[in-house]
Structures are given as structure tokens and as C-alpha cells.
Amino acid sequence: ARKTYKEKVAAAKKDREAEMKPSIDAAVKDATAQGKDPLVARRDAEKKASAATRKSYDAKVEAAKKERDTALAAARKKGAGKA
């Protein structure tokens, strides 16, 4: 159950990063073209993209948590019945 949880959270994180990357890259490219600091542009773009994708990421993680907790509760119940 924990392994499945870790895999699902990792997948959600990967999806979120893939969603954020194009907007971050565009912001850095624009900042470089305008002669602004690209590191500052990256930081600001990451913050905005992170805020924009937070809801969907949190929903995926929450679903994975519920699934893990349900599986662990079932395993505990099953184990307690044998004792």
C-alpha cells in the first residue's frame, strides 16, 4: 500500500512538473530577451505555475492517501482478526 502511494505521488509530481515547465521556460526566454534576470523570472514563474497547479496536485495526492489508508486499515483489521 505504501509503495503504491509513493508511486502515485511521484506520478502526480511528475505530471505537475511537466505542466509547469512550458510556462517557466517561456518566462525565462522572455526575461532573457528583455535583458532581465532569468533566475528571478524562473523563480516568479515557478511560484505562479505552482499555485496554478496546486489544486489538481493536492487532489491526486489526497486520493492516493485515502487509498493507502483504506488498504492499511483493511490489512490491520485482517491482522487483528488472526491474533
Side-chain angles (χ1 to χ4, degrees), residues 6-59:
K6 279 184 179 180
E7 289 169 357
K8 288 190 177 190
V9 170
K13 188 174 184 179
K14 205 173 202 177
D15 290 347
R16 185 181 192 189
E17 287 172 359
E19 222 175 286
M20 289 169 45
K21 188 169 176 23
S23 62
I24 293 170
D25 291 344
V28 170
K29 189 176 179 183
D30 289 346
T32 305
Q34 295 174 5
K36 295 180 181 175
D37 188 354
L39 296 175
V40 173
R42 176 179 292 281
R43 180 194 64 206
D44 294 344
E46 281 177 351
K47 185 171 182 169
K48 287 178 186 173
S50 175
T53 58
R54 179 171 305 279
K55 231 176 208 175
S56 65
Y57 174 75
D58 286 349

